[in-house]
Amino acid sequence: MNPRILALIAAFTASFIYGINHTIAKGLMPTVIEPFGFILLRVFGAAVVFWILSIFYKREKIEKKDWWRIIASAFFGMVLNMTMFFKGLSLSTPINSSVVITIAPVLLLILSALFLKERITWRKGAGIGLGLIGALVLILFGIKTQQNAPNIPLGNMLFLVNAASYSVYLIIVKPLVSKYNSITLMKFLFLFAFLINLPIGFQEFTQVDWTGLSFDSIWKLSFVVLGTTVLTYLFNIYALKQLSPAVIGVFMYLQPLIAVLFAIATGADQLTTLRVIAASLIFLGVYLATRKRKKKNLTVS
């Protein structure tokens, strides 16, 4: 099969896993495991997998000056990011989480302007405004509670922090990606993430009745650890060999569609007019903020 086709399939599969993860992870909290304990399980499992995989790769030495960046990347990408997402998911709904996190590209644009001095045009500024309005609509007006969603506005606010944290992570980790092997980088990121998350999630982790888990709970926990944490990363790495980051980024916008369809199909959530309006504002904002301006063709007469 054409390598590009395989790369597209890999990118789609990663987005599909992320999309259904919103509902699967939500179904485990808080009856099976609390959010902080869930994060500890996730980073520990990923750390073990990536350290095992590193055995088959050439050992790399990390430069002393890069350790602080690795620790910061672990904190924003695998501690604060995951903490806000899982805690928010325990308070809100799968559809809300899938919609709000699509504002990450807009937040990344703002941070890039602040730290990387990238220019923001009026079109991008309008996109940023629409995206933030859409997120605020969900946060401020999504006040109706429902079963297994005790505080939707607070949960939606945590999703916003989650998206901002992930955007910071992308900026911090960028210089490391081209410098070190992906497996080397991931094994240290998840190691530090595990050490930082250990005091945060240890109590909730030990409260889980591990010996009494049902098969349904076991496969869902395994899916989040191996599928959402490990496989999605490996699929995206494979896709990057054939596709540009911009092309892979487009697949991120499939997540809300997949999450909505899966959540409704399983009866875990429902679509409302407010969510459609908020999602439309966010998607339009992201489109305006991230769309590249077409270059005019110059002709010589």
Side-chain angles (χ1 to χ4, degrees), residues 27 49 61 91 98 114 121 129 139 145 180 222 242:
V49 171
K61 183 179 180 180
L91 298 173
S98 66
L114 292 174
T121 63
I139 293 168
T145 59
Y180 300 106
S222 301
Q242 298 292 331

Side-chain angles (χ1 to χ4, degrees), residues 12-244:
F12 172 81
T13 304
S15 290
F16 181 84
I17 293 174
Y18 279 131
I20 64 176
N21 177 66
H22 294 274
T23 296
I24 291 177
K26 174 67 177 180
L28 294 166
M29 298 182 294
T31 54
V32 176
I33 189 170
E34 294 284 351
F36 297 151
F38 206 165
I39 296 167
L40 185 60
L41 172 66
R42 184 178 178 181
V43 296
F44 173 72
V48 170
V49 171
F50 281 115
W51 274 88
I52 292 175
L53 289 176
S54 69
I55 297 174
F56 305 99
Y57 287 81
K58 183 179 178 180
R59 185 177 179 182
E60 292 181 293
K61 183 179 180 180
I62 305 295
E63 293 185 22
K64 187 179 296 184
K65 65 179 182 178
D66 289 331
W67 282 114
W68 74 267
R69 188 178 289 274
I70 289 177
I71 295 174
S73 297
F75 174 76
F76 284 104
M78 297 154 188
V79 179
L80 183 60
N81 171 41
M82 290 187 183
T83 300
M84 294 298 101
F85 175 77
F86 274 80
K87 187 62 178 179
L89 192 58
S90 70
L91 298 173
S92 189
T93 70
I95 290 180
N96 284 346
S97 67
S98 66
V99 169
V100 175
I101 64 168
T102 58
I103 203 172
V106 174
L107 297 176
L108 182 60
L109 184 63
I110 296 174
L111 294 171
S112 296
L114 292 174
F115 298 105
L116 303 180
K117 307 303 179 183
E118 292 187 6
R119 180 169 168 264
I120 294 183
T121 63
W122 70 266
R123 176 174 51 78
K124 290 182 178 181
I128 290 171
L130 286 174
L132 291 177
I133 290 172
L136 289 174
V137 166
L138 277 180
I139 293 168
L140 299 177
F141 300 102
I143 56 178
K144 183 180 178 181
T145 59
Q146 61 186 68
Q147 186 179 9
N148 206 23
N151 196 332
I152 292 178
L154 178 57
N156 292 344
M157 179 65 78
L158 295 181
F159 292 144
L160 196 60
V161 178
N162 154 246
S165 175
Y166 186 71
S167 299
V168 172
Y169 159 74
L170 289 177
I171 291 177
I172 296 176
V173 81
K174 185 177 180 180
L176 299 173
V177 172
S178 58
K179 194 172 184 179
Y180 300 106
N181 178 278
S182 299
I183 299 296
T184 299
L185 192 57
M186 284 296 106
K187 76 175 186 179
F188 284 117
L189 287 176
F190 276 105
L191 174 63
F192 283 115
F194 167 70
L195 294 175
I196 298 173
N197 275 306
L198 186 59
I200 300 173
F202 182 75
Q203 183 178 358
E204 291 185 358
F205 183 84
T206 56
Q207 290 176 346
V208 178
D209 181 17
W210 295 106
T211 59
L213 290 176
S214 65
F215 175 77
D216 182 68
S217 297
I218 292 173
W219 85 257
K220 287 180 179 178
L221 289 169
S222 301
F223 173 86
V224 174
V225 174
L226 299 176
T228 309
T229 312
V230 177
L231 286 182
T232 52
Y233 177 79
L234 295 178
F235 282 142
N236 279 328
I237 286 297
Y238 175 79
L240 276 171
K241 293 181 180 181
Q242 298 292 331
L243 308 173
S244 69

